[in-house]
Amino acid sequence: MNRAQSAKLALAAGALALGLATMTGCGYINPQQTSHQYSSSDGIRADLGPLQLRNMLIVSDGEDKPGRLLGAVYNSSSKDVKLTVNGAKGSRTQVPVKANSYTLLNDSTDEAILSTSGGIAGSLVDVKVSEDGTDVSKTVRVPVLDGTLAEYKEYLPAGSEPTTSGSPTPSPSATATGAAH
């Protein structure tokens, strides 16, 4: 092997070593996404004493309209506890959670309704959550969604209809009047 060939070989080996060092070194200086916990859903997560709140959100048709709290509440204690949620303008709801169990707030038997949601769809509202087992409380920011998305429409509080953009549906009397022409 002559001098020119060995220089090319050394240059290629150096470039390969630099490329490998760059590729393997990226994980060393950058944070790993798998070690970061986050809510991968529309709702938020919060821990409150023995209670773990997961995927919590409010479904409502408007700021001054009732809002239904959705999500899951896990109780890791050996005692039954009650979660209290205080929202806007004095609205309040309570959710009993059995010891070492969970309560899903999307079942029709476990409705948690706030008399006022406190925000329009797409906003975050402050709610104070507390539990009676250890008297721990904190304020969390909970997202408000409406019935625009089909998966949340069924959870609007009774008597609420989602507002939709576009042309209004004609009333039966308007249809009858239009048919007479």
Side-chain angles (χ1 to χ4, degrees):
M1 182 175 345
N2 67 23
R3 200 173 228 178
Q5 289 175 331
S6 81
K8 287 181 185 178
L9 183 60
L11 185 60
L16 180 62
L18 181 63
L20 286 173
T22 303
M23 286 189 291
T24 59
C26 287
Y28 180 72
I29 59 173
N30 292 330
Q32 295 177 352
Q33 288 300 315
T34 56
S35 64
H36 176 68
Q37 293 185 2
Y38 65 96
S39 294
S40 61
S41 62
D42 294 329
I44 58 110
R45 58 183 282 146
D47 294 330
L48 183 68
L51 296 181
Q52 299 170 348
L53 312 177
R54 299 295 183 259
N55 195 25
M56 302 301 284
L57 58 94
I58 298 171
V59 179
S60 177
D61 192 31
E63 185 173 2
D64 294 324
K65 301 221 175 150
R68 183 173 180 178
L69 190 65
L70 293 182
V73 183
Y74 298 90
N75 179 4
S76 62
S77 74
S78 58
K79 297 189 306 184
D80 292 354
V81 296
K82 191 174 290 187
L83 171 70
T84 302
V85 179
N86 293 303
K89 299 180 182 178
S91 62
R92 176 183 166 143
T93 188
Q94 291 186 321
V95 178
V97 187
K98 300 263 185 223
N100 294 311
S101 186
Y102 62 92
T103 299
L104 296 176
L105 299 177
N106 59 352
D107 293 338
S108 60
T109 56
D110 293 320
E111 285 188 348
I113 306 291
L114 294 167
S115 60
T116 303
S117 70
I120 60 171
S123 66
L124 294 170
V125 295
D126 289 334
V127 296
K128 182 180 178 185
V129 291
S130 57
E131 59 88 19
D132 65 351
T134 57
D135 293 326
V136 175
S137 66
K138 72 183 339 182
T139 300
V140 295
R141 296 181 60 86
V142 178
V144 177
L145 300 173
D146 62 10
T148 304
L149 297 173
E151 58 265 27
Y152 295 118
K153 187 175 184 175
E154 69 180 283
Y155 296 113
L156 283 168
S160 294
E161 287 298 322
T163 55
T164 57
S165 58
S167 60
T169 306
S171 66
S173 61
T175 306
T177 306
H181 293 283

